[in-house]
Amino acid sequence: MSNMPKIQHDSDAALIGVRAGWLADGHGACFAPGVLVLRGRAIVAVGSPESIGTPGGLESWIDASDSGVMPAMVNAHAHLDLTLVPRIPQSEHFHDWLGGVRSARRAMTADDVRSSIVAGVQLLDAGGVAAIGDIAGINAPAASMEVCAGAGLEGCVFEEMFGMADRLAMCLASIASMAQGLEQGIEHDQAPRLRRGIQPHAPYSSDRRVFEAALGSGLPVSTHLAEGPFRDLLESFGLWDGKFEAGARHPINWMAARLRAVPADQNGRSTRILCAHLNDVDGPALALLATLPIDVAYCPRASTFFGHAGHRYREMRAAGVNVCLGTDSALNLDTPNRISTLDDLRLLMRRDHLPLADALEMATIAGARALGLDTSRWDFSLSPMAGVIAVPLGEYRAPADFGKTSTAPRWMLRPVRK
Ligand SMILES: [Zn+2]
């Protein structure tokens, strides 16, 4: 039995109207105030209260006139298995902090890992997230697939690999077996919108052969790229040998070589990779990035937590790069009661004066695109939505002031589950 939504049941669903303080979708279409009419998840009408009136056959109204109503969020880069890792005091050095996280994570049993993922999924739900790019560490991939599918989440569970030295052969075998499963259609039965993918941890912790096998596998691929100056980190892992720097001017140049090594798919499309962070990107790297099949998952609060400033996401977007949002692990967040890119989009509005339309696009459609999902499910076209959320506005009623709010979503309309 599938846990996933049965869309065909939506046609039998009641017609429901939502009165919103304002309505905005992933393309920035905005009505203030607005009315949304839904049958199940499918949008029947959207517009100003005057233009919609009271549609015939409407069964009930949901009053969200004190709230902003928008598509559910996409969190393109999270580590659900770290949700319950004990909080580690922030240290001066990233590698000290990460070392602490790694040893705490290593001490977790498979049951602990599962509990952590379950807690993470509950926090995503509290944050109005409908799609996820989860980075699943040891003992986490199967549990994450099961828990995320059970919760009706869409997106991708990326199995994390540290494919170096004595682990190289094992990682290559694992990628080959996942690719074979894909060929045999094993992945598609339970959760058609939740896929398995591969995450070589980073260029400094996985051999180039792991990246090239992953990119050639047909599976979604993600990694951490250009997180920041990383020589200290490598030294702390005992991995620094100077070869990386000698081999490529910048991690993006290194990735460009990996992407060039992979043939296009049967449809002639380039294989894409979802790269988290890109905190450390200079001018030439940015120019190169714009030519590559790379989606960027910017994690604003994680970036701040680790002391990075001046992320060039706006220049990336202006150059045509698909930049979406992620939260990274719950350990970096200032919202203990939720894990949501809703708070990252509001940070960008508040800190950088990013317009609501751009921020929402990054938190919804850009993430859906990066995870290979149908982006029309995050806009107000007359098609089924992945989800709809209402966020109370308090005194900040204008759409442009949304960044000043810090409220949790009051509700999320989700797919009908059978
Ligand atoms: Zn990460």
Side-chain angles (χ1 to χ4, degrees), residues 77-79 135 160 199 201 223-224 227 276-277 299 328-329 332:
H77 184 84
H79 296 258
I135 311 307
E160 188 155 62
Q199 155 111 358
H201 170 261
T223 193
H224 294 112
E227 294 155 273
H277 304 313
C299 304
D328 218 4
S329 86
N332 317 319

Side-chain angles (χ1 to χ4, degrees), residues 180-197:
Q180 202 173 18
L182 183 73
E183 238 164 60
Q184 292 163 358
I186 292 169
E187 305 292 341
H188 298 295
D189 301 340
Q190 288 295 313
R193 294 197 179 94
L194 184 69
R195 298 186 294 165
R196 278 187 89 151

Side-chain angles (χ1 to χ4, degrees), residues 78-374:
H79 296 258
L80 297 178
D81 60 5
L82 299 180
T83 307
L84 296 183
V85 166
R87 294 299 187 269
I88 290 151
Q90 194 175 348
S91 34
E92 208 179 310
H93 295 292
F94 173 63
H95 58 95
D96 291 340
W97 183 88
L98 189 66
V101 171
R102 281 161 61 88
S103 58
R105 175 64 175 81
R106 268 198 297 269
M108 288 165 77
T109 65
D111 282 347
D112 293 338
V113 168
R114 195 174 191 288
S115 304
S116 201
I117 293 166
V118 168
V121 166
Q122 284 164 354
L123 294 176
L124 291 175
D125 198 59
V129 174
I132 181 82
D134 182 33
I135 311 307
I138 189 156
N139 286 327
S144 178
M145 280 300 286
E146 184 210 325
V147 176
C148 290
L153 282 163
E154 308 183 4
C156 191
V157 173
F158 296 98
E159 181 167 340
E160 188 155 62
M161 296 180 180
F162 291 80
M164 300 192 84
D166 53 346
R167 274 182 299 202
L168 173 61
M170 197 183 67
C171 288
L172 292 174
S174 167
I175 293 169
S177 118
M178 286 171 75
Q180 202 173 18
L182 183 73
E183 238 164 60
Q184 292 163 358
I186 292 169
E187 305 292 341
H188 298 295
D189 301 340
Q190 288 295 313
R193 294 197 179 94
L194 184 69
R195 298 186 294 165
R196 278 187 89 151
I198 302 167
Q199 155 111 358
H201 170 261
Y204 55 76
S205 59
S206 278
D207 192 272
R208 75 174 165 72
R209 283 165 285 184
V210 173
F211 276 88
E212 290 172 9
L215 289 166
S217 69
L219 292 151
V221 188
S222 165
T223 193
H224 294 112
L225 198 68
E227 294 155 273
F230 57 91
R231 181 169 174 168
D232 285 356
L233 177 68
L234 286 179
E235 282 171 342
S236 78
F237 287 179
L239 295 173
W240 178 259
D241 60 6
K243 278 188 194 148
F244 184 81
E245 198 165 62
R249 196 197 65 81
H250 186 276
I252 291 175
N253 296 72
W254 187 90
M255 192 58 71
R258 304 290 78 74
L259 288 160
R260 268 198 301 275
V262 178
D265 71 9
Q266 309 102 305
N267 305 315
R269 281 186 304 240
S270 313
T271 299
R272 301 190 69 82
I273 183 167
L274 172 56
C275 294
H277 304 313
L278 279 88
N279 290 314
D280 184 23
V281 175
D282 60 15
L286 198 147
L288 176 60
L289 173 67
T291 69
L292 297 172
I294 290 179
D295 298 289
V296 175
Y298 171 35
C299 304
R301 286 181 293 166
S303 208
T304 305
F305 181 88
F306 292 118
H308 303 294
H311 195 282
R312 302 178 75 171
Y313 71 94
R314 282 168 293 189
E315 291 164 87
M316 292 176 189
R317 279 168 56 82
V321 178
N322 185 50
V323 185
C324 56
L325 296 179
T327 57
D328 218 4
S329 86
L331 306 171
N332 317 319
L333 303 181
D334 49 1
T335 49
N337 300 322
R338 59 185 180 264
I339 297 177
S340 182
T341 44
L342 175 64
D343 297 290
D344 295 281
L345 92 76
R346 290 188 287 199
L347 170 65
L348 300 186
M349 289 185 70
R350 196 164 60 238
R351 184 190 70 193
D352 303 339
H353 308 288
L354 190 70
L356 174 67
D358 297 70
L360 259 179
E361 204 259 347
M362 292 175 73
T364 59
I365 284 175
R369 190 182 292 128
L371 294 172
L373 298 167
D374 175 2

